[in-house]
Amino acid sequence: MATVSVYNMEGKEVGTMELNDAVFGVEVNEHLVHMAVVAQLANKRQGTQKAKTRSEVSGGGKKPWRQKGTGHARQGSTRAPQWTGGGVVFAPTPRDYTIRLNKKEKRLALKSALTSRVLENKLIVVDELKFDEIKTKNFQNTMKNLKVEKALVVLNENDANVVLSARNIPAVKTALTNTINVFDILKYNTVIVTKDAVATIEEVYA
């Protein structure tokens, strides 16, 4: 089992904690991690883009001029793609971009991402995150104490004071244990987790 230090909000080490190898010590499967990120980004796409082809634009039923004798190139419709107001060639149509992973793949991808953060010493465990008021400066001071600039902060419960204090910091995102995902773990190069959150993650994914 990997052992990590536990820090308080002042950035001082207050103890150690053993991480469950079933979650934080698996063999990193880079292929599954990649698939999870691609799937997450693809599933965000609405797929509602649409343009009209020459068969869908209005008008153009009459041949603009006779086939021969005008000196112009032959034309069959004023709604052909080369005409102003004509249809679009190979126009985009609504489609579903969804990519699906099964439950085992999703779980292993998440475990792999968490393990990679442990191996790179980019997972910081704090004993608790508590603020008496909603104040961005307080959260920034905590980040400075932990010597972190860009981080995903994982909480066990939705603490409004913590979430709202972090909301205006561009390089920080808060998440609950049931909303963490591979993309965010990799995007924010440091993961800050409370002790309670670690226990919940191990309970759910072990």
Side-chain angles (χ1 to χ4, degrees):
M1 284 190 175
T3 302
V4 294
S5 300
V6 179
Y7 298 91
N8 60 17
M9 290 171 58
E10 283 73 45
K12 296 177 181 175
E13 188 175 335
V14 293
T16 58
M17 182 179 192
E18 284 193 348
L19 300 176
N20 191 336
D21 283 346
V23 179
F24 296 96
V26 301
E27 184 178 345
V28 178
N29 189 324
E30 291 184 7
H31 175 62
L32 268 186
V33 171
H34 173 73
M35 282 176 59
V37 171
V38 170
Q40 188 173 338
L41 293 178
N43 296 347
K44 281 184 176 181
R45 299 183 68 175
Q46 289 183 320
T48 54
Q49 71 276 38
K50 178 74 175 80
K52 292 183 178 181
T53 63
R54 63 182 295 172
S55 67
E56 294 169 319
V57 289
S58 62
K62 182 174 181 287
K63 188 174 174 67
W65 50 75
R66 67 179 191 269
Q67 182 82 343
K68 292 177 175 290
T70 62
H72 294 299
R74 54 194 171 190
Q75 300 291 333
S77 168
T78 57
R79 291 298 177 260
Q82 73 272 21
W83 284 72
T84 300
V88 179
V89 182
F90 306 129
T93 54
R95 55 173 286 196
D96 183 10
Y97 288 95
T98 303
I99 296 175
R100 291 181 176 85
L101 300 180
N102 63 44
K103 286 183 180 179
K104 285 185 178 180
E105 289 173 329
K106 288 178 184 176
R107 289 171 73 93
L108 185 53
L110 188 67
K111 290 179 184 180
S112 294
L114 290 169
T115 298
S116 70
R117 286 290 166 256
V118 174
L119 295 175
E120 295 166 7
N121 295 320
K122 290 181 178 178
L123 185 130
I124 298 174
V125 180
V126 293
D127 55 354
E128 64 173 2
L129 283 173
K130 293 281 184 185
F131 296 111
D132 297 329
E133 57 182 338
I134 299 170
K135 202 170 182 70
T136 304
K137 192 171 184 181
N138 291 344
F139 200 97
Q140 285 179 320
N141 289 335
T142 300
M143 295 283 287
K144 284 181 182 177
N145 294 337
L146 295 171
K147 298 177 181 175
V148 175
E149 292 181 358
K150 185 176 182 180
L152 174 69
V153 180
V154 183
L155 307 170
N156 195 41
E157 296 177 350
N158 190 12
D159 188 324
N161 286 2
V162 177
V163 173
L164 296 177
S165 294
R167 187 170 61 176
N168 282 341
I169 306 175
V172 173
K173 179 177 181 178
T174 56
L176 299 178
T177 52
N178 61 347
T179 63
I180 56 175
N181 56 75
V182 175
F183 179 74
D184 284 341
I185 292 171
L186 299 180
K187 178 182 177 182
Y188 296 88
N189 53 8
T190 304
V191 179
I192 299 174
V193 198
T194 62
K195 282 181 71 175
D196 292 343
V198 171
T200 301
I201 291 170
E202 289 181 342
E203 184 180 335
V204 173
Y205 292 100

